[in-house]
Amino acid sequence: MRAGAWRLTGPGVAGVLAALAGLPLVTQRADVLNLAFLVFLYAALAESWNLLAGFAGQVNLGHAAFFGTGAFVMRHLWVAGVHPYLGLLAGGLAASAFSLVIGLPAFRLRGAYFAIGTLGLAEILRITVGNVLPVVSTLPAPFITGYSLVHRYYLALALLVVTVATVAWLVRSPLGLGLVALREDEDAAAATGVDVVRHKLLALVVSTGLGGMAGAVFAFYHTSYYHQMPFGPGWTFDALLIAFVGGVGTLAGPLVGAVFYVLVREVLAQALVDVHLLIFGLLFVVVVLVLPGGLVEAAARARRAIGAWRGRTAGHGGRRERAAQGVRSASGGAPVGAAFPDPAGDRAAAPGLTDRSKTAREEGDSHSRPGGAHAARGEEES
């Protein structure tokens, strides 16, 4: 995790999970549960994309291909009678297996060529599925009558927890350090002993497997959709946008970005029906240009600014206190601002000093008069 990113502590995570797990017990409103479900789904998808692109530096614009593969496998197995949990695992494994097939040839490309190559692969898959299965995938009637939104809610929450835990464990392992080294400089990482192909393939398999399971949850959630819909490029760009808005290359970024993305999109869609996508696109551009590290970095900057302001305030207070202590020490402990006695008055009040002062003033007066001391002595002799 990059410096400045939010750090999730154990008690805080447990509290958030307890609150989310108890939400269906507090309210049964379908709009609230649907909104929370979408946040979980998009957060899991963005977190899986962020593992390969944010931590390993391999921008995959074909992530929708693996999302759609998981949805495709899950849907057909579930309708065929397989338990949904087994279908979810099968969808993730199918996506990972597919990524292994294309991984070796795809990683022969670098940078923008890798991104464009993966985007082209996803589009080929989407068009092929649309041509082979141009019909709507609809659940049978018994599945629809037994539909439970709360069940989908908990499944999406469990997927998000598994995804975040897997990515957190991976990026903190030696393998994660190798991925970060690849992101910073692939040639330098290879020169220091990092197995470039092995690290890339492992990150790709885990990333696509988690993305495939997100697609399986999507297939379990919707009652009907076109088969090519989960293969659409929108799923890839949604994940990319969420990761960049939240903070790409951080663990908390996709979580923050998913909350921001889903809530703002819903608000804009209701308030500005026709132009909400344009407004949201401009908002995304502004966030990326002004906050390159996303909302996570903005929060870190705010914390540093508040800490610096508090430090300056404490520094001014400390200097004033030290100055006050210095004045008290110099004055023998007298409080600051106390009326000090007049030294001249002290000398006038001292008996020994009074006569000598008078003599000195008389001598001074005699020297200052015309004739000086001799005139004075003449007056005494006469």
Side-chain angles (χ1 to χ4, degrees):
M1 185 179 296
R2 287 179 179 175
W6 289 357
R7 294 186 181 279
L8 304 178
T9 58
V13 172
V16 172
L17 288 179
L20 294 176
L23 181 62
L25 304 177
V26 177
T27 180
Q28 294 292 327
R29 288 181 53 179
D31 56 343
V32 176
L33 297 182
N34 273 310
L35 199 63
F37 173 88
L38 291 177
V39 171
F40 301 156
L41 180 65
Y42 278 109
L45 180 63
E47 197 75 68
S48 65
W49 181 86
N50 188 45
L51 174 62
L52 183 63
F55 290 102
Q58 308 299 312
V59 178
N60 177 15
L61 294 184
H63 204 56
F66 310 102
F67 181 83
T69 301
F72 186 85
V73 173
M74 164 69 176
R75 190 74 165 196
H76 285 80
L77 290 179
W78 182 32
V79 173
V82 177
H83 194 278
Y85 294 164
L86 294 179
L88 187 146
L89 293 177
L93 291 175
S96 295
F98 180 53
S99 70
L100 274 178
V101 173
I102 67 163
L104 284 177
F107 282 132
R108 296 177 67 87
L109 305 174
R110 283 191 178 188
Y113 298 101
F114 175 79
I116 295 173
T118 52
L119 176 61
L121 173 68
E123 283 298 288
I124 291 173
L125 197 58
R126 181 184 64 83
I127 295 172
T128 303
V129 171
N131 291 334
V132 174
L133 296 171
V135 296
V136 177
S137 173
T138 305
L139 289 177
F143 288 77
I144 297 177
T145 55
Y147 189 91
S148 171
L149 180 58
V150 175
H151 190 186
R152 272 77 176 170
Y153 173 91
Y154 282 119
L155 186 61
L157 178 59
L159 170 68
L160 178 59
V161 172
V162 170
T163 301
V164 173
T166 302
V167 175
W169 172 79
L170 196 60
V171 299
R172 287 177 171 81
S173 67
L175 179 65
L177 297 177
L179 295 179
V180 174
L182 286 177
R183 181 188 66 192
E184 300 301 327
D185 192 327
E186 184 172 328
D187 294 331
T192 56
V194 175
D195 191 335
V196 174
V197 177
R198 174 175 169 271
H199 280 71
K200 286 183 177 179
L201 275 180
L202 188 54
L204 178 66
V205 167
V206 177
S207 170
T208 55
L210 295 174
M213 288 197 289
V217 172
F218 166 85
F220 187 59
Y221 173 71
H222 283 278
T223 56
S224 63
Y225 60 86
Y226 282 98
H227 286 286
Q228 71 269 25
M229 178 187 173
F231 293 90
W235 294 102
T236 297
F237 291 108
D238 284 344
L240 181 150
L241 188 149
I242 290 171
F244 271 92
V245 167
V248 67
T250 65
L251 188 61
L255 305 178
V256 178
V259 175
F260 177 85
Y261 173 79
V262 173
L263 295 182
V264 173
R265 187 186 65 173
E266 293 297 322
V267 171
L268 291 178
Q270 294 181 4
L272 305 169
V273 179
D274 296 329
V275 295
H276 78 280
L277 290 179
L278 177 62
I279 300 298
F280 194 85
L282 292 176
L283 184 62
F284 168 70
V285 172
V286 170
V287 169
V288 171
L289 291 179
V290 178
L291 303 170
L295 299 178
V296 170
E297 183 178 330
R301 286 183 183 179
R303 287 201 305 273
R304 287 195 295 268
I306 293 174
W309 176 78
R310 288 179 176 175
R312 287 194 299 270
T313 304
H316 290 318
R319 283 194 292 272
R320 286 195 295 269
E321 181 63 24
R322 288 192 296 271
Q325 290 177 354
V327 171
R328 284 196 293 269
S329 299
S331 62
V336 178
F340 290 95
D342 184 8
D346 285 347
R347 286 194 299 269
L353 293 176
T354 303
D355 297 337
R356 288 195 296 271
S357 299
K358 289 181 177 179
T359 304
R361 285 197 293 270
E362 291 173 353
E363 290 178 355
D365 293 343
S366 64
H367 285 292
S368 62
R369 288 197 299 267
H374 297 285
R377 282 196 295 272
E379 293 174 358
E380 291 176 357
E381 290 173 359
S382 62

